Every structure is written in structure tokens, then in C-alpha cells.
Amino acid sequence: MLNVKDIKELIEAIDKTSIQQFEMEDGSSKIKISKCKEVVGAAVFSAPAPAVASPIQVEAATVPAEPQEAEDVYIVKSPIVGTFYASSSPNADHFVRVGAKVSKGDTLCIVEAMKIMNEIESEENGEVVEILVKNEDIVEYGQPLMKIRRA
């Protein structure tokens, strides 16, 4: 069970990252932390902008260009911040490789966050045409991981 000090440290740690939402269950306790985004006028941003009071600065050079989704190509995006793994263990075969045929529900990769292995499943039937990250890369929320040509 988390005490108040642990919760404050967790909030401060999350505030220093690009994580927008965090949930955790610890036995009978559950905690959910969300950052609010402020909207300034009618400006439209292509990437999330930090809140006005946030000490986090975003430099254009550090933000990777996001691949555009063609009509017949589905882009698999990371649902969380974590570490990308192409296989279930270092000695295991990769879940998928370029050219692999996948079906809806097939495991494509794992994104580990806080020692929890989150299997990322395909939402489309098709063929893997490009893997956009390397094994053990740190990935951000919403970062494109791979492209699948719809069948």
C-alpha cells in the first residue's frame, strides 16, 4: 500500500516525464494520475504541448517525425511509455518480422512499463511492412512502432 510520501514522489516523477496518464493497482489500492492539457486560444498543435506551468520543454529536434497512415496501411502505436521488446525473452524468436502475416489479436511485441509486460496485439489482419523501432528502445505514448498493410 502506498503512503502519502510515495504518492507525492510518484506525482513528481510523472510530472517530469511526457506521460499524460498513469494507473496502478497495488492489492486493494488503486491510483490514477492524469495531467491536464491547457488549450491556448484556437491554436492547433501537431504534438502535445506542455502546460503553461510545466517545466518540461519540447525541442523539435527531439520529436521524431510521425509516419503518415496510408489508406491501406495501419500504424501500430505504443499505448504507453516503456521499453519495446520484439520477443518474449532474449533467446526467443521475435513475435513478428517484416513480411510476416498477422491476424487481428496476434501479439506483435511487448512494451514493458514498471516491470509489467504489456503485450501489444494487432488490431488488423495484414502483413508487417516496417518495424519502426529497435529491440529495447524506449518508446513514448502514441509513438509509431510498426506498419501493417491491411489484407
Side-chain angles (χ1 to χ4, degrees):
M1 180 161 198
L2 293 172
N3 62 34
V4 174
K5 182 182 175 199
D6 292 336
I7 294 171
K8 284 183 179 181
E9 289 176 0
L10 184 60
I11 291 170
E12 290 173 2
I14 290 172
D15 190 43
K16 294 177 184 175
T17 70
S18 63
I19 297 171
Q20 294 297 314
Q21 187 171 343
F22 173 81
E23 290 185 38
M24 183 177 91
E25 287 189 39
D26 181 26
S28 62
S29 301
K30 183 175 181 179
I31 186 167
K32 180 177 180 179
I33 301 170
S34 294
K35 290 184 185 180
C36 295
K37 294 181 185 178
E38 291 186 27
V39 177
V40 181
V44 177
F45 299 97
S46 61
V52 174
S54 175
I56 301 169
Q57 297 296 318
V58 176
E59 295 180 21
T62 63
V63 178
E66 187 169 318
Q68 296 297 316
E69 189 169 334
E71 199 170 298
D72 66 333
V73 175
Y74 169 70
I75 298 177
V76 178
K77 296 180 181 179
S78 178
I80 55 177
V81 173
T83 305
F84 173 89
Y85 292 106
S87 61
S88 58
S89 69
N91 298 328
D93 289 335
H94 288 203
F95 291 109
V96 295
R97 294 191 185 273
V98 173
K101 304 287 186 204
V102 296
S103 299
K104 187 174 184 175
D106 286 355
T107 300
L108 302 172
C109 60
I110 291 174
V111 177
E112 179 222 345
M114 296 181 66
K115 307 288 185 207
I116 298 173
M117 302 298 176
N118 301 281
E119 290 187 356
I120 309 304
E121 297 178 349
S122 179
E123 294 182 17
E124 299 281 341
N125 296 326
E127 177 184 347
V128 178
V129 292
E130 188 176 0
I131 299 176
L132 305 167
V133 293
K134 293 182 176 95
N135 196 43
E136 298 184 10
D137 276 357
I138 303 299
V139 296
E140 297 290 326
Y141 169 80
Q143 179 177 341
L145 303 176
M146 60 185 73
K147 294 180 182 180
I148 298 175
R149 182 175 297 116
R150 293 178 175 102

